[in-house]
Amino acid sequence: MLRQLLVSFTLGISLFCQQAFAISAIHFQVGEIDAPAGKLKNAQFQVDLKGVEPTLKLHAEIKPTNERAFIPFDLQCAQFNTDKIGQIDCLNGSFIASQTKVPFSIKFVSYPNDFSMNLAFDNANFSDESGLHAGEKLTGQIKLAAKNINNRWQWNGLISWDKGELFWQPFYFGKAGNKFEVNGTFKAPMLNIDNASLLVNGVGMMTSSVQINTQTKVVEDIKVSAKDVDFAGLYSVFLKPMVEKSAFGNLDVSGKADWQFEIKNLEPSSFELNLRDANIDDKNGKFAFNHMNAHLPWDYNNAKTVSIDYKSGHLLKMPLGNTNLSAEINRYSFTAPQLSLPILDGALNFTDLSAAMIADNWYWHLSMNLTPISMNEFSKALGWPAMQGKISGQVPQITYAGKQLAMDGAMTFNVFDGTIAMDKLKIDDPLGVAPRMRAELLMRDIDLGAVTRTFSFGDISGKLEGDVKNMVLENWKPVYLDAYIHTGETKQRKKISQRAVENITALGGEGTAAAVQRTFLRFFKEFNYDKIGLSCKLRQDVCELGGVESTATGYIIVKGKGIPAVNVNGYTQKVSLADLLGRMKRITDGNTKMLVK
């Protein structure tokens, strides 16, 4: 069966002689050959018997079954030997076709019940028109041998290359020194690959076994396993090409890994991945896990327990502490009554977590609360000015379906003696390369004194309230929102320091602070005010600013009241978001100093 080839062709033969009964060349011409693997036409086959060694030349056009057009090629053998019955040697040969050049030597031996082939190639280059397969400067060998015993073929093969690079979509083998060995049996219709081993330089050894029905062309059973492979090499060669467009496509990893999977009757049957002392670091800075050990099993028929632990790491710049996680996975569902994720001096606690895959899409839901975290440590982690107090909060329920994450209810946080709530949260493709987030923020009863002291803004007494409506973030950067922050009603006298006036002026006003410095008001350290407010309508990168009231030339940010009082007017009505954030950073860095001449 291995050597059967059904063909139909027209054939012409010419024999050229220099003298009687002395054949100097043999010339074959073949019109067309149809075979299961493709078509061959216009073949011209010539054996030159002159000289010390016979030579062979073959020119033809070939069209494999998966190609649209015929491809011309030339095959030459500088030494073509057929001295022994059943043996053909093609030494110092070359195969040249479109985008392909392969220098080679081949020895082929064939008898009624066994055959063998040994092909050596040197400095071979090839590529296809699609760009999905290519090799450069490849040097190696291909061996294949088979023997028929009691109507069952026993066979083995080897493919190895010691030099060069190979790309076979989506995998790239940049390091040479790779070897693929395989052996098995064949008895129609079953082709059994009893043992196939792939040694990849920089990764390790992987083994597999496969059963293929050649009549139905169905791969019935597959087993693949790898022991003690290099996790960095495994990720670089095999995993990264398959997840490159996800959040896991740009990682630095290290450690050791074992993995295996089994497929029966075209359905996944089992899978297991074990990581030992692994490190995973997202180059985009979104997450990292250090000294991770993980046991990730899965079985189609039996429930399994998943366990993950790591010593440290970070998630969106939030430092993670020593963590141990455990959950149950049952076919395509995942449940955990409670998971705790230590963060700084607190923890993010998940309850009633459940997930299921339905029609190739994940659906899950959970509730969450935040054990109080020190604001001082929290602000340092984000690179903000040092804050005091604690931050805590809770989320009623979060669901994920159709690559969209949504929150049922408001997520509330307690900070600066007040509350900040996030509502109507939706995130499209949160684990993708370009997530899109929509939400609304509400701020109530925030102590302005605590806020301004924290950010070195100057002193402002009173309560701060605010609303951010229609907020849209693309890849975590704001592109659309309607925001308005303002002081709330209070019975206390509301004061603002001259330093705070200067900084507010730097945000949206011009001239007010300088005017204060030129009058007798410069002798006052603080002023009374009635209202403070600032709004921003953001559209892409442009923010349209406003205040508590509009004026003919702009808007009022601080409206004074009583004696002494001062108004702060804003005149810049449109500013880029990058410029506005830059102004805020300069203020909090303490660089905003009024220069009076």
Side-chain angles (χ1 to χ4, degrees):
M1 179 65 182
L2 288 176
R3 294 185 295 171
Q4 289 179 347
L5 183 66
L6 300 177
V7 299
S8 62
F9 57 90
T10 60
L11 178 66
I13 302 177
S14 301
L15 301 178
F16 300 94
C17 306
Q18 287 183 325
Q19 55 185 351
F21 308 108
I23 300 174
S24 62
I26 303 174
H27 187 193
F28 290 85
Q29 289 184 333
V30 179
E32 186 169 308
I33 299 177
D34 290 324
K39 294 183 177 182
L40 183 76
K41 73 175 184 179
N42 300 329
Q44 299 180 27
F45 179 89
Q46 180 178 329
V47 178
D48 191 345
L49 302 177
K50 294 182 296 182
V52 179
E53 297 286 351
T55 62
L56 175 144
K57 293 181 180 181
L58 171 62
H59 175 80
E61 296 178 54
I62 189 170
K63 187 176 82 67
T65 53
N66 59 342
E67 296 290 342
R68 295 182 179 180
F70 279 88
I71 303 171
F73 72 90
D74 289 281
L75 175 67
Q76 297 185 24
C77 299
Q79 293 177 255
F80 182 69
N81 301 321
T82 58
D83 296 342
K84 297 180 181 179
I85 297 176
Q87 179 173 327
I88 298 176
D89 296 340
C90 178
L91 305 179
N92 300 320
S94 67
F95 177 85
I96 300 175
S98 175
Q99 303 177 16
T100 301
K101 184 177 182 181
V102 182
F104 71 94
S105 292
I106 185 171
K107 291 180 177 290
F108 182 80
V109 179
S110 177
Y111 298 108
N113 289 312
D114 65 88
F115 71 90
S116 66
M117 181 194 74
N118 189 346
L119 170 68
F121 50 91
D122 182 26
N123 204 32
N125 297 279
F126 74 90
S127 63
D128 57 16
E129 292 185 1
S130 65
L132 301 179
H133 311 98
E136 185 175 348
K137 298 181 180 180
L138 290 171
T139 298
Q141 61 179 332
I142 299 174
K143 293 183 177 180
L144 180 63
K147 180 178 290 187
N148 191 329
I149 302 176
N150 298 325
N151 294 321
R152 178 189 293 268
W153 285 95
Q154 296 181 352
W155 57 273
N156 61 79
L158 166 70
I159 301 175
S160 66
W161 68 95
D162 305 316
K163 297 179 182 179
E165 303 170 75
L166 177 66
F167 174 71
W168 204 269
Q169 173 71 13
F171 307 117
Y172 169 68
F173 301 91
K175 295 180 179 179
N178 304 286
K179 182 185 295 185
F180 177 67
E181 294 184 274
V182 60
N183 63 71
T185 62
F186 174 77
K187 185 175 183 179
M190 297 305 300
L191 174 63
N192 296 311
I193 300 176
D194 298 326
N195 182 54
S197 62
L198 175 63
L199 175 63
V200 179
N201 191 357
V203 180
M205 177 75 75
M206 287 164 280
T207 61
S208 66
S209 62
V210 184
Q211 288 184 334
I212 303 173
N213 189 317
T214 58
Q215 185 174 4
T216 61
K217 298 182 179 179
V218 171
V219 180
E220 296 187 353
D221 292 316
I222 300 176
K223 293 181 180 179
V224 178
S225 65
K227 298 291 184 181
D228 203 35
V229 297
D230 183 79
F231 187 34
L234 179 68
Y235 171 78
S236 175
V237 176
F238 294 103
L239 301 181
K240 183 177 180 178
M242 295 186 288
V243 297
E244 199 151 17
K245 295 183 179 180
S246 74
F248 307 103
N250 192 24
L251 307 180
D252 267 333
V253 303
S254 64
K256 293 291 184 179
D258 303 330
W259 64 283
Q260 63 181 32
F261 69 86
E262 187 171 353
I263 296 175
K264 292 184 177 181
N265 299 320
L266 300 180
E267 293 289 339
S269 174
S270 64
F271 171 87
E272 184 173 316
L273 173 64
N274 296 307
L275 300 178
R276 296 188 302 279
D277 197 28
N279 296 290
I280 302 174
D281 190 355
D282 175 38
K283 293 181 182 179
N284 299 321
K286 294 180 180 179
F287 57 86
F289 304 98
N290 303 319
H291 302 291
M292 170 186 283
N293 294 283
H295 175 58
L296 307 173
W298 177 85
D299 191 277
Y300 186 82
N301 297 309
N302 302 296
K304 296 288 185 178
T305 299
V306 173
S307 62
I308 301 174
D309 66 79
Y310 52 84
K311 298 298 183 183
S312 61
H314 71 80
L315 183 63
L316 298 178
K317 296 185 179 181
M318 282 291 100
L320 302 175
N322 191 1
T323 302
N324 294 278
L325 305 175
S326 180
E328 182 181 273
I329 186 167
N330 190 350
R331 193 170 290 184
Y332 302 123
S333 66
F334 178 93
T335 57
Q338 186 170 352
L339 293 176
S340 183
L341 197 67
I343 298 177
L344 296 172
D345 57 344
L348 191 60
N349 306 300
F350 303 96
T351 55
D352 300 325
L353 190 154
S354 66
M357 179 179 281
I358 303 173
D360 295 328
N361 290 309
W362 277 103
Y363 299 83
W364 53 264
H365 71 268
L366 57 87
S367 298
M368 183 175 66
N369 69 77
L370 181 65
T371 302
I373 292 176
S374 166
M375 283 294 294
N376 188 33
E377 296 298 321
F378 181 80
S379 55
K380 285 181 181 178
L382 294 179
W384 294 351
M387 304 182 189
Q388 302 302 317
K390 294 277 187 178
I391 180 173
S392 62
Q394 59 182 4
V395 181
Q397 190 176 71
I398 295 177
T399 61
Y400 178 85
K403 291 188 177 181
Q404 185 183 77
L405 183 147
M407 186 171 61
D408 182 13
M411 177 169 53
T412 58
F413 295 98
N414 302 312
V415 61
F416 293 123
D417 297 330
T419 60
I420 298 178
M422 179 180 289
D423 199 7
K424 300 180 181 179
L425 174 67
K426 291 184 179 180
I427 306 177
D428 297 327
D429 200 16
L431 296 179
V433 294
R436 180 182 174 89
M437 171 180 161
R438 288 160 287 174
E440 293 189 353
L441 295 176
L442 297 88
M443 293 178 284
R444 297 294 182 265
D445 295 322
I446 304 295
D447 185 353
L448 256 176
V451 174
T452 52
R453 286 192 298 273
T454 296
F455 290 96
S456 302
F457 196 81
D459 293 326
I460 307 176
S461 62
K463 295 290 186 177
L464 179 68
E465 297 189 351
D467 296 274
V468 181
K469 303 289 187 181
N470 308 315
M471 181 172 65
V472 178
L473 277 68
E474 293 181 353
N475 200 21
W476 312 115
K477 294 180 180 179
V479 295
Y480 192 104
L481 57 82
D482 296 304
Y484 180 49
I485 56 172
H486 58 92
T487 52
E489 296 298 328
T490 177
K491 294 181 179 180
Q492 299 176 340
R493 293 185 64 185
K494 292 179 282 189
K495 299 285 187 178
I496 180 171
S497 69
Q498 192 171 145
R499 175 64 173 160
V501 169
E502 295 173 359
N503 286 326
I504 291 176
T505 301
L507 285 178
E510 295 176 358
T512 300
V516 168
Q517 294 288 343
R518 287 195 297 267
T519 67
F520 72 94
L521 293 176
R522 69 182 184 275
F523 297 109
F524 294 93
K525 292 183 178 180
E526 60 182 16
F527 307 96
N528 298 318
Y529 75 90
D530 181 30
K531 298 177 182 178
I532 299 177
L534 187 65
S535 66
C536 169
K537 289 185 177 181
L538 180 66
R539 303 296 184 265
Q540 292 301 324
D541 188 49
V542 178
C543 183
E544 183 179 340
L545 298 174
V548 294
E549 292 180 12
S550 297
T551 66
T553 56
Y555 48 91
I556 298 174
I557 303 175
V558 179
K559 186 175 182 179
K561 180 181 180 181
I563 299 175
V566 64
N567 285 352
V568 177
N569 294 337
Y571 301 96
T572 304
Q573 292 184 308
K574 290 187 178 182
V575 62
S576 72
L577 179 63
D579 189 17
L580 182 61
L581 294 176
R583 294 181 190 183
M584 295 176 66
K585 187 177 188 303
R586 287 193 295 271
I587 291 170
T588 56
D589 286 345
N591 293 328
T592 302
K593 301 290 185 181
M594 299 307 298
L595 178 62
V596 181
K597 295 183 179 179

